[in-house]
Amino acid sequence: MESDQRSQKGTNVGLHDEIAYESIDSHASPSRLGSMDRLGSSRLVTVGLAYEVCRDRGVVTGIKDAATVEDGTGCPAQGERGPSVDRAGTKSGSSNHLRLPALETAFSTKTQTKLRVSRGKSYEGEHFSLSWTITLQVPIKNPAVGESTDKGLWSLLRKGRSKASSDPPRRTKKTILDGLVGRAEKGQLMAVMGSSGCGKTSFLNCISMRNQSFVGNIFVNEKEIDGRYFSLAGFVHQDDLFLPTETVREHLTFHALLRCDPCVRKDLRLKRVETLIKTVNLEHVSDSLLGGPGSFIRGLSGGERRRVSFATELLSDPVIIFADEFTTGLDASMAKSVCLALRKVAAGGRLVIGTIHQPSSDVFALFTHVMLMTQGRVIYMGPRTALAAYFERQGDPSLLCPPRHNPADFFVTLVALHPQDPVGSQKRIDNLVAIYQASPERVAMSDWQQDVAFPELLLYHRSFKMRHFQASSYTQFRLCFQRNVRALFRDPMSFGAALGSGFITGIILGLAYATAPNAPATAEHVRNTEGLFFLANLQVFLIILYATIMAFSAETKVFMRENQAGANRVGAYYLSKTFTGWAVEIAMPFVFALLVWALAGLQRSPEGFFIFAGVMILNALCFGSIGYCLAAMTSDPQIAMAIAPVLVLPNVVFSGIMYDLSLTYGFREFLAYISILRYAQAAMLINEFPPSSTRFTSEIPNQEAVLEGLNAFPLSTNLWALASAAVVFRIIAYLILLLRTTRERIVVR
């Protein structure tokens, strides 16, 4: 009996096995796959495990975690297990040889195939199961500890006492998920249902390992998962985040080229994009812009955007798909179309688990299995068709769903805590939980634990990095750069608004300070020129800063999503964004400088103009870099713009116009040294009134009189200071973005 059970388990492919076939010479003699001396020019990656091929008899004898085909001639017999050798070469009592019928055909032709086993991705045609044990607790303030008027160390010292060991802790833990145990298999479309706050999304984040702070473990085919689990699973978030300037086909192609296995040819990836467009019924909008909230492009409807999200995750051909509240914001018709697409995906050999809040009866009928939750506990888990019968079996008429009533609405209401009767509803919930814990359905969902090798694995899991980048940094940079360039042309409002603002304000400022070219340097003229340069620098400062914050903050959310999915590295994305951002940071101040220089009567020399325009561009690059820093800190542009005045005020006060910098000392001297406007102001004045100028008068006899109170540095020093500030703040923004992605690598809220 034990041998038969092991034989049946041998038909399953574990997490560590993927079968792929490549053409080899049919007359090669048996050899180790790791040694290619007699396998011709074909190459094979064996991921550190040894395999022996008996191609003439269609046999692959594995060491540990190997997939094998046996036909009994000189090799282990079909369905039997021989002794295996672990990775250290030690024999063990049982082998993990797995019978793969597909290989019999592969080895029977004249042109034989070789077996490549890599860390698991494909389970087509094989049994697949996902099992879990999850308990999640979060720290909260202990409600038993009241507010005290004496707080902190000082109050303890003042009273001459120490904190007693019997005092209750100020923080305790709240249970979000309480001992969830379950199992799901491929081909199932499982709905995780329950009232708001019951733990649906928390469960989905834990089982997908987006949140790894739980107690318990996740198993695939009764084997503990590892970092490769993320290549098996796709996660569809509740909110759809796309760049609005991309079409559906361009978006899917971008992710196909960056997230799919690089061993797959490009034409096959593009073919898969076209296949998925048809699968999720997006042919009619395949060349339409995605659009979205906050964009001038209307784009797709909510249901179409949700189907694009599913298609994006299906590109890497995952075995498991997790979907969080995938019908939220959709009407009944759109929700049904999305669920029909998911049912089709599940029927194709995948496991789909999604949270849903009170679906319609038509949508509810599309699910194959249901997990009913309340207060972080399970009320029922099993086939949808057996849900009503399960509650009917309890013999309580109040648990029976009335005829012609939506079962989803009834059962979600049944397990909810009602504010009108909190005691009675809580008692009913506790009773239903106790009934399920003793039910055969609960036993069926937990019997897989007997097949786990070590019971300790049921309590503890390892932490893994979520991301694995398939494409090179250069490929990511190239595709991101192309995407950003398309965005500039397709959404000219962001670029055109900054350019138009610079054009209009340049004309206004130039006309307001218009004088004859190369006018004498009287006190009044110098004072007006200082005001002109100050307002010009401040105007470029504000336009570039806020334009950068608005543009980069919106894209940061999309980038964080792509980074978690393994599509974009921080460096590749940030470098491409920097290059395309120069279009605004260079074009706008150049146009602005040209208009001000032409209308305001500044010195007429090519050298003077290009230095003036160069200072304006460096000033724009500095504050563009500061805008990147603020936008990288938070994805909310409102928060970033609220922080911006903290940086604006010191730059304005210590620019040399509002405050005599020759009188600064201590902390004020430090603020003067880090004021970017100070260096830009000084550089422009030095350029406008060089020492050899013939425009000086008795009122302003030399350059020192022009720079009085500014405590200015030489022109070259000012230019280097501006360039250094632009580079330093740009690097700081990169480090902030890198830190954010690192912090969200393990735990994603």
Side-chain angles (χ1 to χ4, degrees):
M1 177 66 69
E2 182 179 356
S3 176
D4 292 339
Q5 291 176 350
R6 287 197 302 259
S7 177
Q8 292 176 1
K9 293 174 185 176
T11 61
N12 302 338
V13 176
L15 177 63
H16 309 301
D17 306 316
E18 176 195 5
I19 308 305
Y21 307 103
E22 297 177 10
S23 176
I24 64 169
D25 181 8
S26 61
H27 301 291
S29 58
S31 62
R32 295 280 180 181
L33 295 189
S35 174
M36 303 307 299
D37 296 339
R38 287 173 280 180
L39 289 182
S41 60
S42 298
R43 302 185 62 185
L44 178 68
V45 180
T46 61
V47 296
L49 302 177
Y51 299 90
E52 185 172 278
V53 182
C54 302
R55 283 179 298 244
D56 294 340
R57 295 179 297 277
V59 176
V60 179
T61 302
I63 306 290
K64 194 168 184 180
D65 293 332
T68 67
V69 176
E70 307 154 334
D71 88 340
T73 310
C75 295
Q78 279 191 6
E80 295 183 3
R81 290 171 173 251
S84 66
V85 182
D86 61 18
R87 299 178 189 183
T90 305
K91 288 187 177 182
S92 59
S94 63
S95 167
N96 286 331
H97 296 171
L98 308 175
R99 175 72 179 169
L100 299 178
L103 287 182
E104 293 187 61
T105 304
F107 279 99
S108 63
T109 60
K110 180 177 179 181
T111 302
Q112 302 293 342
T113 61
K114 71 183 178 182
L115 171 64
R116 184 181 68 192
V117 179
S118 63
R119 300 295 177 163
K121 288 183 181 178
S122 178
Y123 293 90
E124 296 297 332
E126 302 295 339
H127 175 74
F128 175 87
S129 66
L130 177 68
S131 312
W132 60 86
T133 61
I134 297 175
T135 296
L136 177 64
Q137 294 180 322
V138 296
I140 61 171
K141 183 177 179 180
N142 191 348
V145 180
E147 293 292 336
S148 174
T149 56
D150 296 322
K151 296 181 180 180
L153 180 62
W154 170 248
S155 64
L156 298 179
L157 295 176
R158 180 169 54 83
K159 293 184 178 182
R161 62 180 179 87
S162 60
K163 183 178 176 64
S165 59
S166 60
D167 290 347
R170 290 190 173 275
R171 298 189 69 82
T172 184
K173 289 187 175 182
K174 177 182 178 181
T175 300
I176 304 299
L177 301 176
D178 189 4
L180 304 188
V181 179
R183 175 189 179 95
E185 298 180 355
K186 78 173 191 176
Q188 295 180 0
L189 175 58
M190 176 179 286
V192 182
M193 297 172 52
S195 58
S196 299
C198 70
K200 301 188 297 295
T201 299
S202 297
F203 165 73
L204 207 65
N205 286 333
C206 290
I207 196 176
S208 63
M209 297 298 285
R210 262 64 184 174
N211 184 346
Q212 300 185 18
S213 59
F214 64 93
V215 176
N217 214 334
I218 311 296
F219 300 87
V220 170
N221 291 350
E222 287 71 55
K223 292 184 180 181
E224 183 188 20
I225 63 170
D226 54 22
R228 293 160 291 172
Y229 178 66
F230 295 108
S231 66
L232 295 175
F235 192 95
V236 180
H237 295 263
Q238 180 175 350
D239 52 334
D240 303 313
L241 293 179
F242 310 115
L243 288 184
T245 53
E246 292 288 281
T247 66
V248 173
R249 181 174 282 106
E250 288 170 346
H251 169 80
L252 295 178
T253 300
F254 176 86
H255 282 267
L257 296 178
L258 293 183
R259 294 175 59 180
C260 292
D261 193 333
C263 297
V264 181
R265 297 197 313 269
K266 181 179 178 179
D267 61 322
L268 296 180
R269 300 189 216 180
L270 298 180
K271 183 178 179 181
R272 177 157 182 78
V273 169
E274 299 301 324
T275 302
L276 283 175
I277 289 176
K278 295 179 181 178
T279 301
V280 297
N281 193 25
L282 290 172
E283 301 100 319
H284 61 292
V285 293
S286 60
D287 294 315
S288 300
L289 296 180
L290 291 167
S295 171
F296 291 99
I297 303 171
R298 183 179 180 276
L300 307 184
S301 66
E304 291 166 342
R305 291 171 61 85
R306 186 53 52 89
R307 279 178 279 165
V308 173
S309 295
F310 283 111
T312 304
E313 296 303 319
L314 289 172
L315 281 170
S316 57
D317 197 20
V319 183
I320 315 168
I321 297 178
F322 301 105
D324 184 20
E325 296 285 358
F326 55 91
T327 61
T328 299
L330 305 180
D331 57 34
S333 177
M334 284 293 182
K336 185 176 181 180
S337 67
V338 170
C339 288
L340 282 171
L342 285 182
R343 182 64 181 266
K344 184 177 180 180
V345 168
R350 294 180 179 85
L351 169 62
V352 182
I353 301 178
T355 60
I356 190 168
H357 187 70
Q358 288 186 323
S360 65
S361 56
D362 290 340
V363 170
F364 182 69
L366 295 175
F367 292 97
T368 63
H369 288 69
V370 173
M371 179 178 176
L372 198 58
M373 294 182 61
T374 182
Q375 298 178 349
R377 297 176 289 177
V378 177
I379 298 294
Y380 171 82
M381 186 187 303
R384 175 192 56 81
T385 54
L387 176 62
Y390 168 79
F391 284 99
E392 183 179 356
R393 198 172 68 228
Q394 311 310 320
D396 187 349
S398 64
L399 303 181
L400 300 181
C401 180
R404 299 188 180 184
H405 196 285
N406 184 355
D409 287 341
F410 175 79
F411 290 116
V412 168
T413 306
L414 180 68
V415 300
L417 183 66
H418 299 290
Q420 299 83 358
D421 184 18
V423 177
S425 57
Q426 184 63 56
K427 183 177 180 181
R428 182 180 67 253
I429 290 172
D430 295 337
N431 184 44
L432 291 175
V433 171
I435 291 174
Y436 174 74
Q437 292 296 324
S439 67
E441 286 79 4
R442 171 63 168 77
V443 175
M445 286 295 166
S446 60
D447 59 357
W448 58 269
Q449 299 181 60
Q450 302 174 7
D451 298 324
V452 176
F454 302 99
E456 296 82 3
L457 296 179
L458 298 173
L459 300 177
Y460 305 103
H461 67 274
R462 294 176 289 171
S463 295
F464 311 113
K465 294 181 180 180
M466 289 182 55
R467 299 165 298 177
H468 176 67
F469 300 105
Q470 300 284 3
S472 65
S473 297
Y474 170 73
T475 301
Q476 293 175 353
F477 166 77
R478 177 173 55 84
L479 294 176
C480 287
F481 183 79
Q482 294 173 355
R483 183 174 67 172
N484 292 337
V485 171
R486 287 196 299 266
L488 285 177
F489 288 97
R490 292 179 179 174
D491 187 14
M493 293 304 297
S494 56
F495 177 74
L499 198 62
S501 178
F503 182 84
I504 295 174
T505 55
I507 293 177
I508 295 174
L509 201 60
L511 293 176
Y513 285 88
T515 58
N518 298 322
T522 62
E524 181 182 0
H525 177 72
V526 170
R527 185 169 60 253
N528 290 340
T529 303
E530 288 177 343
L532 170 65
F533 290 162
F534 172 75
L535 293 177
N537 285 318
L538 184 62
Q539 184 66 21
V540 171
F541 173 5
L542 297 176
I543 292 176
I544 296 298
L545 180 66
Y546 287 105
T548 303
I549 288 175
M550 293 300 296
F552 193 59
S553 294
E555 286 194 20
T556 301
K557 297 178 182 179
V558 180
F559 163 72
M560 296 299 293
R561 181 74 56 84
E562 293 176 348
N563 180 262
Q564 294 167 11
N568 257 334
R569 291 179 177 88
V570 178
Y573 167 78
Y574 188 70
L575 192 61
S576 67
K577 189 63 182 175
T578 296
F579 285 172
T580 52
W582 285 347
V584 175
E585 295 170 2
I586 293 177
M588 178 267 165
F590 183 83
V591 171
F592 181 82
L594 179 62
L595 293 171
V596 172
W597 178 81
L599 297 175
L602 302 179
Q603 66 155 316
R604 290 296 189 262
S605 70
E607 180 184 0
F609 166 71
F610 284 111
I611 292 178
F612 175 69
V615 172
M616 297 291 285
I617 291 173
L618 287 175
N619 188 36
L621 292 174
C622 287
F623 290 107
S625 299
I626 293 176
Y628 279 116
C629 288
L630 296 176
M633 291 179 185
T634 173
S635 299
D636 189 346
Q638 302 298 327
I639 297 177
M641 287 191 291
I643 301 174
V646 179
L647 299 177
V648 173
L649 186 61
N651 275 280
V652 171
V653 172
F654 295 97
S655 62
I657 300 298
M658 304 293 182
Y659 190 87
D660 189 347
L661 299 184
S662 62
L663 303 178
T664 58
Y665 60 90
F667 182 66
R668 287 181 291 181
E669 185 177 8
F670 169 75
L671 292 178
Y673 274 111
I674 64 174
S675 173
I676 295 174
L677 290 181
R678 171 198 182 181
Y679 297 104
Q681 183 80 9
M684 288 182 176
L685 288 174
I686 293 173
N687 175 63
E688 180 66 19
F689 301 100
S692 59
S693 176
T694 60
R695 302 165 57 191
F696 294 118
T697 63
S698 58
E699 295 180 280
I700 307 294
N702 51 41
Q703 189 185 72
E704 287 73 16
V706 175
L707 301 177
E708 184 180 359
L710 193 57
N711 199 16
F713 297 99
L715 177 62
S716 59
T717 303
N718 291 313
L719 295 179
W720 276 109
L722 291 172
S724 300
V727 173
V728 168
F729 281 110
R730 193 75 55 148
I731 294 175
I732 292 175
Y734 167 76
L735 295 177
I736 293 173
L737 198 60
L738 184 64
L739 179 62
R740 282 189 63 188
T741 59
T742 302
R743 291 179 60 186
E744 298 187 24
R745 178 182 303 175
I746 301 287
V747 179
V748 179
R749 301 297 180 186

